[in-house]
Amino acid sequence: MKTYSIGLVPGPVSVPEEFRRAYLEDYGSADLEEEFFRLCEENSELLRLVLKTGNTVTIQSGEAMSVLWGALKSCLLPGDRLLAVSNGIFGRGFGEMAEMTGAVARIVEAPDGEFPDEELIRQAAEEFRPHLITAVHCETPGGMLNPVAGLGKIARSVDALLCVDYVASAGGADVRTDEWGIDIGLLGSQKVLSLLPDLSMAAVSPRAWEVIEQVNYAGYDALLPWRDGIKNRYLPYTHNWHAVSALRLSLRRLIGEGLEASFERHEKTARYCRQRLSAMGIGLYPKREELCSPTVTAAMMPEGWTWKELDKALRGRGMAVGGSYGALAGKVFRIGHMGSQADLELVKRGMDVLEEMLASK
């Protein structure tokens, strides 16, 4: 398979060699070794710092979608109501997934490039009286960083839980789980953490654990077994020791850099990317600057190009970016500058290639 010298896809991102080396080590059985359980405890503490929470943090095997499914199935019974706050395929997807579990969903949808007005969300919550409100902090297909900080108060006003997907933002943008009233915060390993797509994590509040215990979902992706699994030294399946070791390396590096320094690095790189695109006459999908994500930029297709043409031409020059999904497929291309790719020199090289290529057509 061909590799690219300028990798700017929006995830899975480039995995540093130091993290990859963790997969070459020999470990014992994660079911039996005290060393593994201590590793999990350390990672949970580090994740609490990153996510700014005192809640329980679970670490499961599986790509991030597994914990999205697990959270919904762990919190909802057939007939329960879910209010999905949406401005893209993943926000809307929460509602669609909930319906597949037998729940009743309502979606509050934003116009293109925007986020739903908070008062409209409040009105929908008061009318619909959901058991669970969901939102996506970074809607990667549209390059949007969404203002979710006010949703916790809305959720509590109608006695609902708040579940937020911050898979593509945590570590690269400020996430305040407790301050924002997030009952279930969802994270994946392949974005800012710059790992393989093999771990999913959840920060779960005491309120959420009460509901999860009542629902008592018992599938492979269930959250309940992880509430006390590490403490009791008894897990529902054999865990991925290699991935959990790599996670410690990633979290230690992030904490060592400093969260504020990481946020600044991501924002500086993203701002440079947007400025270069603007100079090329390429528009952005988000309608407002404050909605632009620091981890991924969604740019409109340049005039006279199709996505297939652009992708082929860039790859021919050693550069890989991402297309988009759903209604944005073929209309938007995405530049991933998160984690290991939040590198100003890397993005500069990418923008130079893009500019040269557009000028040559």
Side-chain angles (χ1 to χ4, degrees):
M1 182 177 178
K2 185 175 181 179
T3 58
Y4 298 93
S5 59
I6 306 175
L8 291 170
V9 297
V13 303
S14 174
V15 181
E17 182 180 353
E18 177 190 1
F19 302 166
R20 284 183 271 127
R21 283 202 297 267
Y23 286 83
L24 303 178
E25 300 293 332
D26 290 325
Y27 303 101
S29 170
D31 298 293
L32 302 173
E33 302 290 342
E34 177 64 20
E35 181 183 355
F36 173 77
F37 292 108
R38 290 198 300 269
L39 173 63
C40 288
E41 289 170 339
E42 179 182 348
N43 279 340
S44 294
E45 288 301 321
L46 292 172
L47 283 165
R48 283 187 190 72
L49 295 176
V50 173
L51 304 177
K52 298 184 178 179
T53 183
N55 293 336
T56 305
V57 176
T58 68
I59 305 167
Q60 297 91 254
S61 287
E63 196 272 340
M65 282 301 300
S66 66
V67 79
L68 268 67
W69 277 110
L72 293 182
K73 290 186 282 187
S74 294
C75 291
L76 295 171
L77 291 168
D80 283 351
R81 296 178 298 280
L82 178 141
L83 182 68
V85 180
S86 169
N87 63 348
I89 190 171
F90 288 111
R92 188 163 50 255
F94 267 126
E96 295 167 351
M97 292 161 66
E99 289 178 336
M100 293 180 196
T101 72
V104 178
R106 179 177 294 186
I107 299 174
V108 181
E109 191 75 64
D112 287 351
E114 289 286 354
F115 188 72
D117 180 77
E118 194 168 295
E119 187 56 35
L120 291 178
I121 299 169
R122 184 182 305 280
Q123 291 174 8
E126 291 174 351
E127 177 185 335
F128 190 53
R129 310 300 294 187
H131 297 83
L132 183 65
I133 297 175
T134 59
V136 178
H137 190 212
C138 177
E139 181 72 49
T140 51
M144 309 277 289
L145 189 73
N146 294 321
V148 300
L151 300 184
K153 290 182 179 179
I154 295 175
R156 276 160 176 71
S157 73
V158 295
D159 196 27
L161 296 178
L162 174 63
C163 176
V164 172
D165 165 354
Y166 38 54
V167 169
S169 58
D174 197 8
V175 167
R176 304 186 180 194
T177 302
D178 292 356
E179 181 180 326
W180 295 348
I182 298 172
D183 293 293
I184 306 176
L186 308 176
L187 183 60
S189 54
Q190 74 271 30
K191 301 289 189 177
V192 176
L193 295 177
S194 305
L195 300 170
L196 298 176
D198 52 8
L199 290 177
S200 55
M201 292 142 271
V204 186
S205 74
R207 293 177 72 238
W209 282 126
E210 290 179 8
V211 172
I212 290 167
E213 187 172 20
Q214 292 168 8
V215 172
N216 200 30
Y217 169 63
Y220 178 87
D221 52 358
L223 290 178
L224 187 57
W226 297 95
R227 181 181 58 181
D228 300 311
I230 300 300
K231 181 178 70 175
N232 294 337
R233 301 317 197 230
Y234 188 80
L235 304 180
Y237 51 71
T238 301
H239 215 315
N240 187 340
W241 196 329
H242 296 82
V244 176
S245 290
L247 175 62
R248 176 167 61 182
L249 294 174
S250 173
L251 291 170
R252 284 179 172 179
R253 178 181 289 189
L254 179 58
I255 296 298
E257 177 184 9
L259 289 179
E260 293 301 324
S262 177
F263 303 156
E264 182 179 354
R265 172 168 58 90
H266 281 80
E267 183 53 47
K268 183 178 180 180
T269 306
R271 187 165 54 249
Y272 174 83
C273 180
R274 296 193 297 267
Q275 289 169 349
R276 287 293 302 272
L277 290 169
S278 177
M280 297 178 215
I282 297 175
L284 303 178
Y285 176 72
K287 291 294 191 291
R288 292 178 281 139
E289 178 78 12
E290 60 267 29
L291 292 176
C292 290
S293 171
T295 59
V296 56
T297 293
M300 305 306 293
M301 288 298 302
E303 187 175 352
W305 291 82
T306 67
W307 161 241
K308 287 186 177 180
E309 291 170 341
L310 183 70
D311 185 42
K312 182 179 179 180
L314 288 174
R315 289 175 187 265
R317 290 167 169 78
M319 178 177 170
V321 298
S324 197
Y325 304 102
L328 297 184
K331 300 177 182 178
V332 162
F333 71 99
R334 298 178 298 152
I335 299 161
H337 36 71
M338 61 184 75
S340 61
Q341 295 170 191
D343 181 314
L344 196 59
E345 181 56 33
L346 177 67
V347 174
K348 181 182 184 301
R349 288 167 55 205
M351 293 300 98
D352 288 346
V353 168
L354 178 62
E355 185 174 32
E356 178 186 325
M357 189 195 72
L358 293 179
S360 67
K361 185 170 181 179

